[in-house]
Each structure stands twice: as C-alpha cells, then as structure tokens.
Amino acid sequence: GDGDPVDRQAGDDTNRKILNLAVPALISLSIDPLMTIADTAFIGRYSPPNDPSPLAGLGSAAALLVFAFYVFNFLATATAPLVAKRRGLGDEAGAAFVGGQALGLALVLGSVLAAALLLYKAPLLQVMGTGATGPEADRYAEEFLTVRALAAPAVLACSASNGILRGYLDAKTPTLVLLGSNAVNLVLDVVLVAQLGMGP
C-alpha cells in the first residue's frame, strides 16, 4: 500500500531538485533590492541636514533604473528553458551556443540601454518628476543615473548568465554572485560615502 520504492525514490529526487532550484531563487528575489536600499540608507544618513534633494534625486533615478533593467528580464526567463531544452536532448554544444548567443545579445542590449539612458537622462528624469523637486535633486539624479547606466551591459550580462546557469540546474551560483555584489556595494558605500565623504 506504500507504493513502489522506486517511484518514491524518484519522487523524492524530483522534490529535492525543485527545492534546490526554488530556495536559491527565492533568496535571490529577496536580496535583489538590497543594493538600492543600502545606497538609499547611506545617502539619507550622510546627506546635509534638512536637505531632501539627494534622496529625492536618488529615488527618481533608482525607480527609472529598476524599470529599465526589469524590461530586459526576459534575458533570464527565456534563456533558461532554451538551454535546458538543449541539454535535455543531450546537445551540450547547442546549450553552450544558446548561452553564448544570450550573452552576446545581453552585451549589445546593455550597451544600447546605457547609451539611451545617458543621452536621454534629462527628459527621462523629468518624466520621473525631478523637475518638480528642484535643480539640486535633478543634479543628484543625473549623477546617480550616469554611474548606474554605465553598468547596464554588466547587469544584463548577469541576467543572461542567471538564465544560463538555471538551464544547467544551478541556482546557487547566481545567488552567491548577487550576495557578493551586494557585499561589494555595501563596502564601497562605507568607504566612499561614510569615510571619504564622496556622497552628497
């Protein structure tokens, strides 16, 4: 009445594989916004007293960047099943080819996105409302957007890499990379903003 032991073992293996993918993915989703949260906390803590302009500028620029990067999330969600399908067919060379195409496309799109953000940052930030918060907030927003826009190729390449690794049933490595990037960002916030006073 307990069923075939082989079937139970197969079910246990499947459940384990699902958990090995789901748990790191859940962790990644929960820590993804930490970089912006850390930047916001340091800007708020080390801004001049009674000066809301740095936070206002950061808020507008960060919202624009989150939307801009989210649009290209398909680089991860589309790449993972394509790579997995090739591997399921035993075509490891095909899986590697798909991964290479995804990375190449990510770098091209990232470069185009960076150029668009840099060329049209003023009107884009006006749409986000920086014009209503004053010239100082607008200046801070443009500075923050400029620095983050330069990272667009790397951000989209990481997104594509995430999809590739998930196609190889590896959800732990992207999580570790995300944790590492957040740790580096936090250390740089401490050193550059808190200690060297390179914030607002």
Side-chain angles (χ1 to χ4, degrees), residues 12-190:
D12 290 342
D13 288 343
T14 300
N15 290 337
R16 191 177 301 111
K17 289 178 180 178
I18 292 173
L19 283 175
N20 286 339
L21 288 171
V23 172
L26 181 61
I27 294 173
S28 293
L29 286 173
S30 64
I31 64 178
D32 187 49
L34 290 183
M35 193 175 291
T36 300
I37 291 173
D39 291 343
T40 303
F42 275 86
I43 293 299
R45 174 68 179 80
Y46 293 97
S47 293
N50 301 316
D51 183 5
S53 296
L55 276 179
L58 172 64
S60 298
L64 176 60
L65 287 162
V66 167
F67 174 76
F69 292 149
Y70 185 79
V71 168
F72 295 94
N73 196 44
F74 68 87
L75 287 167
T77 56
T79 302
L82 291 175
V83 172
K85 180 180 179 180
R86 293 287 186 178
R87 295 190 67 237
L89 295 172
D91 184 8
E92 292 294 336
F97 179 73
V98 170
Q101 282 188 316
L103 284 173
L105 179 61
L107 291 173
V108 171
L109 291 177
S111 299
V112 172
L113 176 60
L117 289 172
L118 292 173
L119 287 172
Y120 300 105
K121 59 185 175 183
L124 288 171
L125 289 171
Q126 287 294 317
V127 172
M128 298 303 297
T130 55
T133 55
E136 279 298 301
D138 194 46
R139 181 174 66 83
Y140 284 121
E142 289 198 9
E143 291 176 354
F144 185 80
L145 181 62
T146 298
V147 173
R148 281 288 182 91
L150 294 174
V155 171
L156 298 195
C158 285
S159 183
S161 300
N162 192 341
I164 294 168
L165 289 168
R166 288 184 182 179
Y168 281 86
L169 301 181
D170 179 5
K172 293 180 181 178
T173 301
T175 303
L176 293 175
V177 170
L178 189 57
L179 283 169
S181 63
N182 273 274
V184 170
N185 182 70
L186 181 60
V187 170
L188 290 175
D189 277 340
V190 171

